[in-house]
Amino acid sequence: QVQLVESGGGLVQTGGSLRLSCAASELDFTRYGMAWFRQAHGKERDVVAVISWSGGNTYYINSVKGRFTISRDNARDTVYLQMNSLKPEDTAVYYCAAGRLMDFTIGRITAAQTYYYWGQGTQVTVSS
């Protein structure tokens, strides 16, 4: 049924860039807000960035502000995460998620339980 498939992860040096993509299938894409979460080894899964269904609202965790950009192409049912100036602490498995966002309050959009569909994840490794 619904599938979210991430791509674009890999190994990059400190200061480098990667663009992650998440392609949605069998999803009424424009009805869903989209988010990127990440989980480093031994740590909890935390939100990185969120974008509303229209793309009009975005949210970023403080540690990635100014470095990461979330965007979406509703014509292609795809959400992106452009990651620049990467740091070793960005190393994690990155997950794409889709959820019906009734509002764009921080409490709602940052909670993993808000999101109904999840991708399998893509590994991002930043070497120093």
Side-chain angles (χ1 to χ4, degrees):
Q1 294 180 326
V2 173
Q3 286 189 243
L4 302 177
V5 180
E6 301 98 333
S7 62
L11 175 65
V12 66
Q13 295 180 338
T14 297
S17 298
L18 287 172
R19 188 181 73 163
L20 306 184
S21 298
C22 173
S25 299
E26 300 296 328
L27 181 72
D28 193 349
F29 190 70
T30 61
R31 292 182 178 269
Y32 286 82
M34 303 295 295
W36 288 96
F37 285 72
R38 67 186 181 187
Q39 186 169 21
H41 185 71
K43 295 187 177 181
E44 295 184 347
R45 187 175 299 186
D46 293 323
V47 71
V48 179
V50 185
I51 189 166
S52 61
W53 67 268
S54 66
N57 293 303
T58 58
Y59 166 85
Y60 301 92
I61 193 170
N62 284 340
S63 62
V64 308
K65 287 181 178 178
R67 300 189 297 120
F68 291 10
T69 302
I70 188 170
S71 62
R72 66 190 296 160
D73 186 344
N74 286 348
R76 295 182 178 272
D77 292 354
T78 302
V79 64
Y80 305 94
L81 186 68
Q82 178 67 47
M83 304 184 294
N84 298 326
S85 302
L86 283 162
K87 304 174 181 179
E89 49 263 47
D90 295 318
T91 296
V93 177
Y94 283 70
Y95 297 90
C96 177
R100 292 292 308 276
L101 305 183
M102 298 298 100
D103 55 49
F104 210 71
T105 59
I106 293 176
R108 179 183 298 276
I109 66 175
T110 61
Q113 67 181 3
T114 295
Y115 299 91
Y116 194 76
Y117 300 109
W118 292 82
Q120 293 289 90
T122 185
Q123 177 71 48
V124 171
T125 302
V126 184
S127 65
S128 59

